């Protein structure tokens, strides 16, 4: 389980801000285990089920010590059918005078043993078989799956009865039969999970390192598909307890000498015309045990999948907060109202290994004008991607976004109901993700995926949507669109897959396009094509664009205005030409100096010393001070607010006295000039 938990960490900018990076002194696996158990403990229903199951285990282990009677004590005809409490029998007696409470205690043993036998048989057969046919596929997979479908189509108890006919009656044979039936369920689940996992890059990496097929399956794939198997195991345990009771009630499971709960129900049938009581305790025991396994399995599923929120609102919701006195960024040129106005955005995530929250984006303000390209720039881990996702209410769980206001074309998005926000997504705001191979569903053709928003938002028929998709593919430069429309994502190169993502984002003609590092995974030539395409489409359609990137060269090609982000804060914002010519923050100066140029250079490439610190290490003062060459005493006195400097805003205590160098100076002095001005620090 620990390997499976360790494999659940996120990746990319979202993973960084979500706390998937282990804190100092704590491994990633340990952190994920800690968060898993914290999520599970907060699920009260699941913990109640777990507590009951622990009680059942303890009762089964210490049954001889909990009652003065033994499991098969002699029949006492003088004590037949005593009511609860009579003659010291807390739950009464059955039709031959046996203590019902004693049999309930010992029956817990048979329930657990029966469930364990069935589940172990199912796992021993189903996991290796599912791994093998899912990994190698081919004709063996087709034959095995036809057999699996036949077995699964028949109710488990009925199929088990057929198997018992050949094996003979008895509790062990009955649970072996149940285990054989359950193994088909495990086989099907394992195969489905392997189908998805075998296409992941870590599998290719293991193969490239020389790992054998067996090692790839058991050491790389199996730990990553363990969570659904663990959840399914708990659910099958519940079904096994129920199946054992059913088979014992029918007389082909536990025999008369075994105090199985199912056997107790069978014995209670003999005296049903005199009293129904002997059937009630075993019935309740079976019911509670099955429910406990089910709710515990549901809790495991939720703990593996998502962080429990407690009192928080739904996933992705942006909740309102009180308005503050933070300075507003300058309005776009022309004096008109912006298309998008964001005020006071905060995003928090749980701190790794703790129950407290950490702020990963704080007090972000942005304005994007109509038809304007706003670039949000900064190093990886600064919070750019998570800021863009928050505009669509897509902050990943367990994060929580709050804002004073997010106004899109006059409509307030903060506090908007889910169904209302769903119509905003895709229709008024489109998004291009940085990894098209991960964003496109491998199970569907690209044409079907691009057509989906057209049918959902615009109500097009299937034929109309197909024709429109072909037009979009032509517009974004996909050759032979009438043929490529029926291809799957894996049949596209990285550049072509990104063109599909652009077509999908533009399909409903949104007003705002969020481009999240759209050229990250592409080579230089294709990057240029993508940038030209985005710019041309933005101009021809009058789109507003939020361009998220860490490449200032990209910004120079497309943007009208720029917002520089560092460690969860906007440190500078203004018109592109003004920020590039005369930056007001040392971080912006460092980014400009590091822009690659087509000119002769000597020495090392310019860099900013150090790296962006993780959110749990952000100080309650200037976040950039530890990396800044201009750091002074006033920089460490406390938080630094945005302040106006001409038409720009900056978050620097010394902005009024510093003369920072922009693009022209950096191009003139090259690396040597930056090294001299920075004191010759080693590159970070």
């Amino acid at each position: 389980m620990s390997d499976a938990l360790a494999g659940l960490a996120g990746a990319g900018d979202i993973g960084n801000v979500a706390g998937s990076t282990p804190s100092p002194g704590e491994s990633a696996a340990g952190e994920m285990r800690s968060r898993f158990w914290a999520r599970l403990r907060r699920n009260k229903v699941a913990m109640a089920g777990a507590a009951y199951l622990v009680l059942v285990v303890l009762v089964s282990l210490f049954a001889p010590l909990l009652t003065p009677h033994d499991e098969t004590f002699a029949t006492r005809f003088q004590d037949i059918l005593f009511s609860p409490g009579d003659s010291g029998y807390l739950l009464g007696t059955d039709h031959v005078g046996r203590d019902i409470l004693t049999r309930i205690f010992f029956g817990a043993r048979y329930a657990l043993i029966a469930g364990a036998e069935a589940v172990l048989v199912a796992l021993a057969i189903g996991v290796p078989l599912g791994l093998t046919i899912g990994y190698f596929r081919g004709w063996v997979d087709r034959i095995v799956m036809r057999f699996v479908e036949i077995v699964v189509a028949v109710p488990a108890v009925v199929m088990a009865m057929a198997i018992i006919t050949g094996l003979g009656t008895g509790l062990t044979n009955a649970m072996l039969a149940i285990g054989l039936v359950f193994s088909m369920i495990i086989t099907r689940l394992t195969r489905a999970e392997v189908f998805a996992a075998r296409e992941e890059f870590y599998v290719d990496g293991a193969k490239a390192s020389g790992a054998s097929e067996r090692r790839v399956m058991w050491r790389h794939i199996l730990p990553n598909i363990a969570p659904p198997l663990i959840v399914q195991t708990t659910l099958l345990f519940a079904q096994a307890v129920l199946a054992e009771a059913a088979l014992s009630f029918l007389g082909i499971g536990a025999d008369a000498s075994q105090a199985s709960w199912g056997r107790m129900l069978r014995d209670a049938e003999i005296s049903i015309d005199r009293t129904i009581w002997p059937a009630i305790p075993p019935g309740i025991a079976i019911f509670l045990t099955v429910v406990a396994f089910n709710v515990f399995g549901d809790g495991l599923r939720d703990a593996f999948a998502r962080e429990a929120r407690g009192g928080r609102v739904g996933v992705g919701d942006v909740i309102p907060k009180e308005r503050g006195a933070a300075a507003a960024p300058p309005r776009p040129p022309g004096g008109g109202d912006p298309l998008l106005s964001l005020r006071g955005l905060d995003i928090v995530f749980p701190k790794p290994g703790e129950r407290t929250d950490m702020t990963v984006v704080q007090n972000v303000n942005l304005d994007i004008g109509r038809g304007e390209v706003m670039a949000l720039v900064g190093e990886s881990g600064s919070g750019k991607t998570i800021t863009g996702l928050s505009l669509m209410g897509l902050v990943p769980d367990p994060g929580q976004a709050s804002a004073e206001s997010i106004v899109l074309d006059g409509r307030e998005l903060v506090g908007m109901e889910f169904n209302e926000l769903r119509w905003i997504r895709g229709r008024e705001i489109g998004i291009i993700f940085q990894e098209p191979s991960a964003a496109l569903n491998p199970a569907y053709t690209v044409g079907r995926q691009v057509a989906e928003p057209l049918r959902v938002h615009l109500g097009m028929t299937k034929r109309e949507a197909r024709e429109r998709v072909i037009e979009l593919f032509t517009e974004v430069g996909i050759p032979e669109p009438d043929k490529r429309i029926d291809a799957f994502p894996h049949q596209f190169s990285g550049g072509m897959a990104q063109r599909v993502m652009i077509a999908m984002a533009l399909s409903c003609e949104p007003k705002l396009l969020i481009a999240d590092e759209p050229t990250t995974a592409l080579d230089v030539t294709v990057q240029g094509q993508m940038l030209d395409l985005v710019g041309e489409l933005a101009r021809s359609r009058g789109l507003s664009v939020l361009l998220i990137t860490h490449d200032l060269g990209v910004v120079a090609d497309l943007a009208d205005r720029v917002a520089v982000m560092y460690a969860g804060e906007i440190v500078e914002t203004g018109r592109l030409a003004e920020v590039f010519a005369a930056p007001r923050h040392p971080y912006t100066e460092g980014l400009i100096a590091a822009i690659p140029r087509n000119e002769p250079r000597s020495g090392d490439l310019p860099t900013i010393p150090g790296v962006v610190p993780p959110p749990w290490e952000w100080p309650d003062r200037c976040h950039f001070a530890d990396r800044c060459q201009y750091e002074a005493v006033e920089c460490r006195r406390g938080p630094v607010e945005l302040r106006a400097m001409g038409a720009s805003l900056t978050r620097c205590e010394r902005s009024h006295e510093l003369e920072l160098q922009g693009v022209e100076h950096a191009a003139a002095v090259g690396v040597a000039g930056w090294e001299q001005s920075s004191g010759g620090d080693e590159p970070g």
Side-chain angles (χ1 to χ4, degrees):
M1 182 185 293
S2 61
D3 291 338
L5 291 171
L8 298 178
D13 280 353
I14 297 177
N16 289 338
V17 299
S20 63
T21 303
S23 57
E26 182 179 19
S27 67
E31 174 191 325
M32 294 306 298
R33 284 195 296 269
S34 175
R35 294 189 62 184
F36 169 82
W37 291 118
R39 291 194 293 266
L40 185 61
R41 285 194 298 269
R42 288 197 291 268
N43 190 327
K44 303 303 181 185
V45 176
M47 291 308 297
Y52 175 82
L53 294 177
V54 171
L55 178 63
V56 171
V57 171
L58 293 176
V59 166
S60 67
L61 291 176
F62 299 105
L65 304 178
L66 297 175
T67 174
H69 309 292
D70 59 31
E71 177 185 0
T72 58
F73 70 101
T75 300
R76 301 180 181 181
F77 293 106
Q78 68 275 19
D79 296 341
I80 291 175
L81 297 179
F82 275 10
S83 299
D86 289 351
S87 301
Y89 295 110
L90 188 61
L91 293 182
T93 60
D94 62 8
H95 69 292
V96 293
R98 293 174 295 192
D99 180 23
I100 293 178
L101 181 61
T102 298
R103 291 174 65 79
I104 289 291
F105 286 167
F106 282 94
R109 288 186 174 183
Y110 293 103
L112 296 177
I113 292 173
E117 289 177 348
V119 168
L120 288 175
V121 170
L123 293 175
I125 297 174
V127 171
L129 184 59
L131 273 174
T132 302
I133 64 176
Y135 186 81
F136 292 105
R137 303 185 182 182
W139 62 270
V140 175
D141 172 48
R142 292 191 290 272
I143 293 175
V144 171
M145 286 310 298
R146 298 297 82 77
F147 177 75
V148 169
E149 290 165 0
I150 293 171
V151 174
V152 173
V154 180
V157 173
V158 176
M159 180 61 69
M161 291 173 64
I163 297 174
I164 290 172
T165 302
L167 297 177
T169 61
L171 185 59
T172 299
N173 288 342
M175 300 325 296
L176 175 61
I178 291 294
L180 291 172
V181 177
F182 285 174
S183 68
M184 300 297 101
I185 299 174
I186 294 292
T187 298
R188 186 167 63 173
L189 175 62
T190 305
R191 172 183 177 270
E193 294 295 327
V194 172
F195 263 33
R198 72 190 299 273
E199 304 299 332
E200 298 292 340
F201 291 132
Y202 67 81
V203 174
D204 294 335
K207 293 179 180 177
S209 67
S212 65
E213 303 285 7
R214 184 175 64 179
R215 183 176 180 84
V216 170
M217 286 192 296
W218 289 96
R219 298 297 298 273
H220 294 276
I221 293 180
L222 182 59
N224 284 281
I225 67 172
L229 293 177
I230 293 170
V231 174
Q232 186 63 46
T233 297
T234 62
L235 301 179
L236 289 181
F237 215 115
Q239 295 182 40
V241 171
L242 197 59
E244 182 276 323
L247 294 175
S248 295
F249 178 78
L250 295 174
I252 55 177
D255 58 37
S257 64
Q258 296 172 315
S260 159
W261 292 337
R263 188 71 194 193
M264 291 178 67
L265 290 175
R266 178 179 176 85
D267 293 340
E269 184 185 20
I270 299 173
S271 59
I272 196 72
D273 57 336
R274 299 175 59 185
T275 176
I276 196 176
W277 173 251
I280 293 178
I284 293 176
I286 294 170
F287 173 77
L288 291 178
T289 303
V290 171
V291 169
F293 272 114
N294 281 325
V295 298
F296 181 61
D298 289 343
L300 286 177
R301 178 201 61 203
D302 295 339
F304 277 123
R306 297 259 184 207
E307 173 115 5
R309 286 185 168 270
R312 296 175 184 245
V313 294
V315 174
D317 292 346
V318 181
I319 61 175
K321 69 175 186 179
E322 295 183 1
R323 293 184 177 274
R331 294 294 183 181
D337 291 333
L339 174 72
L340 178 87
S341 179
L342 169 65
R343 291 293 178 272
L345 174 68
D346 291 339
I347 302 175
V348 299
F349 277 85
K351 187 176 293 186
E354 300 180 21
R355 295 196 175 190
T356 57
D357 285 340
M358 61 182 180
T359 301
V360 300
V361 169
Q362 56 189 32
N363 201 25
V364 168
N365 300 320
L366 282 177
D367 278 328
I368 303 177
R370 299 177 188 275
E372 179 182 71
V373 178
M374 163 66 82
L376 184 60
V377 303
E379 295 171 275
S380 295
S382 294
K384 308 182 302 298
T385 293
I386 206 73
T387 298
L389 292 176
S390 69
L391 300 178
M392 302 183 73
L394 295 178
V395 174
D397 205 31
Q400 179 60 65
S402 60
E404 295 173 6
S405 175
I406 304 177
V407 178
L408 176 69
D409 198 19
R411 298 184 64 184
E412 178 61 69
L413 304 187
V414 174
M416 182 175 285
E417 295 291 334
F418 172 79
N419 286 333
E420 293 182 84
L421 187 59
R422 186 168 63 88
W423 289 104
I424 298 293
R425 296 170 179 161
R427 189 167 188 171
E428 297 190 30
I429 305 179
I431 185 168
I432 304 172
F433 293 101
Q434 59 180 298
E435 289 288 351
S437 59
L440 293 172
N441 191 329
Y444 299 108
T445 64
V446 294
R448 177 174 176 177
Q449 295 181 64
V450 178
E452 185 173 5
L454 295 171
R455 302 193 66 185
V456 171
H457 290 301
L458 304 183
M460 291 186 177
T461 64
K462 188 175 182 179
R463 174 173 294 183
E464 291 172 339
R466 183 179 178 86
E467 293 174 354
R468 178 56 183 154
V469 171
I470 293 175
E471 294 176 2
L472 287 167
F473 279 8
T474 302
E475 192 173 353
V476 299
I478 295 178
E480 299 183 314
D482 55 330
K483 297 179 181 178
R484 304 300 297 274
I485 191 174
D486 294 317
F488 288 88
H490 69 272
Q491 297 175 285
F492 284 75
S493 65
M496 285 296 149
Q498 193 63 285
R499 292 176 188 268
V500 173
M501 287 299 305
I502 295 174
M504 185 184 300
L506 299 177
S507 59
C508 295
E509 300 187 358
K511 301 172 183 176
L512 174 65
L513 177 65
I514 300 174
D516 181 13
E517 302 195 32
T519 62
T520 296
L522 308 178
D523 60 61
V524 176
T525 302
V526 180
Q527 283 183 16
Q529 296 174 357
M530 290 298 101
L531 294 174
D532 292 341
L533 177 61
V534 172
E536 179 183 347
L537 291 173
R539 288 189 296 270
S540 63
R541 292 169 175 253
L543 276 175
S544 298
V545 179
L546 176 61
L547 177 63
I548 299 171
T549 182
H550 51 72
D551 187 346
L552 289 189
V554 171
V555 174
D557 282 344
L558 291 180
D560 301 306
R561 296 175 63 244
V562 60
V564 182
M565 194 169 197
Y566 180 79
E569 297 179 326
I570 298 293
V571 298
E572 183 170 358
T573 181
R575 297 173 186 268
L576 176 70
E578 295 171 354
V579 171
F580 270 43
R584 302 292 186 177
H585 195 281
Y587 181 60
T588 309
E589 181 189 50
L591 292 177
I592 291 173
I595 298 176
R597 297 176 183 84
N598 187 19
E599 59 188 26
R601 291 195 176 195
S602 61
D604 296 332
L605 293 175
T607 60
I608 303 174
V611 295
V612 181
W616 54 83
E617 294 182 1
W618 291 349
D620 188 21
R621 50 179 171 77
C622 176
H623 288 183
F624 188 63
D626 292 337
R627 304 177 67 189
C628 183
Q629 57 185 315
Y630 307 109
E631 177 201 357
V633 174
E634 55 265 34
C635 300
R636 296 182 176 271
R637 289 175 179 168
V640 183
E641 300 295 334
L642 279 171
R643 60 188 64 187
M645 290 290 294
S648 301
L649 287 178
T650 182
R651 195 183 298 272
C652 179
E653 289 284 3
R654 304 185 61 196
S655 57
H656 61 286
E657 60 180 275
L658 294 177
E659 294 184 5
L660 303 178
Q661 306 302 325
V663 173
E664 293 182 2
H665 176 80
V669 302
V671 179
W674 170 251
E675 289 180 341
Q676 182 178 1
S677 64
S678 63
D681 289 318
E682 292 297 325

